[in-house]
């Protein structure tokens, strides 16, 4: 009877001790989970301050296509909006590789559409990631005396070289076919280089200071710009850069002596718009 009593006491004591040990182990286990202490090795100690991670500077590879506005005709410095855009971006710290200016005086949408099939033009487009583009003015105003011989300055303000009066109807007559070609041009550029960002220059009205041509010119240019915007909105990588408001009521300050192309100050204003768009 006495042995049995001590046996039960021993069992109880062992149970208590075991319980205490388990509780202590549980406490340490929970502490290790909440406040883990990793193994400290020599490799885990800080060796030196890590250099800050810097963003990779994107290189803009710019090519320019289009008509006399792209070429910079009318600018006595020869820079035009293209060179001014490149220079302005560089001045703002943007890394620019200028691939070339392929602007051609008198180029129409039909002419540019044909040029896009040339190997040299295709190569330049494939190498670029930014395309500056101006075309369409020669299509809309090709029958104007102003383009041919400065007829407006000589008093012949409402007739074309063929004797046809410049009216909203006559000016707008060229728009449907020219707009269809512009759409093909933008599609073709996108096919050649789907990753390039295309910045198309909207048109302004160079005849806004000639009463007989104010309304026809404004209506034609507005219709063209709206049509171009509709086309461009179908491409996520394309932007229309507006210029109409830059020249409206300021033609005396921003047009060259030919009364059609911008002068240096006019091209500067256009360049600033392109810089804003590209950035």
């Amino acid at each position: 009877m006495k042995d049995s009593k001590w046996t039960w006491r021993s069992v109880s004591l062992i149970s208590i001790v075991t319980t205490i040990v388990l509780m202590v182990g549980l406490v340490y286990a929970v502490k290790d989970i909440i406040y883990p202490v990793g193994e400290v090795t020599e490799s885990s100690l800080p060796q030196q301050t890590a250099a800050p991670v810097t963003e990779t500077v994107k290189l803009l590879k710019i090519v320019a296509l289009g008509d006399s506005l792209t070429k910079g005709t009318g600018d006595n410095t020869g820079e035009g909006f293209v060179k001014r855009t490149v220079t302005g971006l560089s001045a703002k710290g943007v890394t620019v590789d200028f691939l070339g200016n392929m602007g051609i005086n008198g180029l129409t949408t039909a002419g540019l559409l044909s040029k896009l099939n040339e190997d040299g033009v295709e190569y330049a487009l494939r190498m670029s990631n930014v395309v500056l583009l101006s075309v369409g003015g020669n299509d809309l105003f090709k029958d104007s005396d102003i383009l041919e011989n400065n007829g407006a300055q000589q008093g012949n303000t409402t007739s074309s070289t063929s004797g046809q009066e410049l009216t909203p109807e006559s000016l707008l007559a060229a728009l449907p076919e020219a707009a269809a070609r512009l759409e093909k041009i933008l599609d073709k550029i996108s096919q050649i280089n789907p990753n390039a960002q295309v910045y198309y220059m909207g048109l302004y009205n160079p005849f806004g200071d000639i009463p007989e041509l104010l309304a026809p010119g404004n209506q034609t240019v507005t219709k063209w710009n709206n049509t171009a915007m509709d086309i461009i909105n179908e491409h996520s990588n394309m932007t229309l850069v507006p210029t109409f408001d830059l020249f409206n009521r300021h033609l005396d300050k921003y047009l060259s002596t030919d009364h059609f192309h911008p002068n240096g100050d006019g091209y500067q204003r256009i360049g600033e718009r392109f810089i804003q768009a590209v950035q």
Side-chain angles (χ1 to χ4, degrees):
M1 186 71 175
K2 188 176 181 180
D3 292 339
S4 177
K5 182 179 179 179
W6 280 107
T7 299
W8 283 107
R9 286 182 178 179
S10 298
V11 171
S12 299
L13 182 60
I14 293 172
S15 298
I16 293 172
V17 173
T18 303
T19 301
I20 292 173
V21 172
L22 290 175
M23 290 180 66
V24 172
L26 179 61
V27 170
Y28 275 100
V30 172
K31 182 179 179 182
D32 189 54
I33 293 173
I34 298 177
Y35 306 105
V37 179
E39 181 181 359
V40 179
T41 64
E42 184 178 354
S43 60
S44 67
L45 294 176
Q47 302 300 312
Q48 62 183 15
T49 303
V53 178
T54 58
E55 295 183 1
T56 301
V57 177
K58 182 178 181 181
L59 173 64
L60 297 185
K61 299 179 180 181
I62 299 178
V63 66
L65 299 174
D67 51 25
S68 55
L69 294 176
T70 300
K71 187 174 182 179
T73 301
D75 187 349
N76 291 333
T77 69
E79 292 185 339
F81 80 86
V82 174
K83 186 63 180 298
R84 293 173 188 270
T85 298
V86 172
T87 301
L89 288 170
S90 299
K92 290 180 176 292
V94 180
T95 305
V96 179
D97 182 7
F98 184 43
L99 303 182
N101 187 334
M102 298 184 178
I104 301 174
N105 286 336
L107 192 69
T108 62
T109 52
L112 180 55
L113 192 58
S114 177
K115 297 289 290 184
L116 292 178
N117 293 321
E118 296 181 4
D119 292 340
V121 175
E122 287 193 21
Y123 177 78
L125 285 173
R126 290 195 180 96
M127 293 295 293
S128 70
N129 55 21
V130 171
V131 178
L132 309 182
L133 175 64
S134 171
V135 72
N138 291 318
D139 293 82
L140 301 185
F141 301 118
K142 62 183 179 180
D143 288 329
S144 169
D145 278 343
I146 292 178
L147 292 183
E148 297 295 332
N149 54 19
N150 264 351
Q153 295 182 0
Q154 300 170 13
N156 185 14
T157 60
T158 61
S159 298
S160 70
T161 54
S162 61
Q164 180 183 3
E165 184 179 358
L166 290 177
T167 64
E169 291 74 23
S170 64
L171 287 172
L172 289 170
L175 195 146
E177 292 184 1
R181 288 191 293 268
L182 176 63
E183 185 170 16
K184 292 179 180 179
I185 288 169
L186 296 177
D187 287 342
K188 180 69 173 179
I189 292 175
S190 185
Q191 291 172 9
I192 295 173
N193 187 344
N195 297 317
Q197 296 294 316
V198 180
Y199 298 89
Y200 173 75
M201 175 182 162
L203 299 185
Y204 57 88
N205 178 15
F207 309 141
D209 58 349
I210 302 174
E212 295 86 349
L213 300 181
L214 173 61
N218 282 350
Q219 291 181 38
T220 301
V221 170
T222 299
K223 179 68 174 177
W224 173 267
N225 288 338
N226 289 339
T227 301
M229 178 64 79
D230 290 340
I231 298 171
I232 286 172
N233 283 340
E234 298 177 0
H235 300 269
S236 61
N237 63 326
M238 297 186 182
T239 301
L240 186 143
V241 180
T243 64
F244 182 89
D245 62 307
L246 297 179
F247 291 85
N248 188 35
R249 296 181 298 178
H250 299 293
L251 297 178
D252 58 329
K253 292 192 297 185
Y254 298 128
L255 282 188
S256 66
T257 55
D258 67 8
H259 205 274
F260 184 78
H261 298 96
N263 57 22
D265 292 336
Y267 278 118
Q268 179 64 32
R269 300 202 74 190
I270 296 173
E272 289 170 356
R273 280 284 172 86
F274 272 88
I275 291 170
Q276 293 173 357
V278 173
Q279 283 188 308

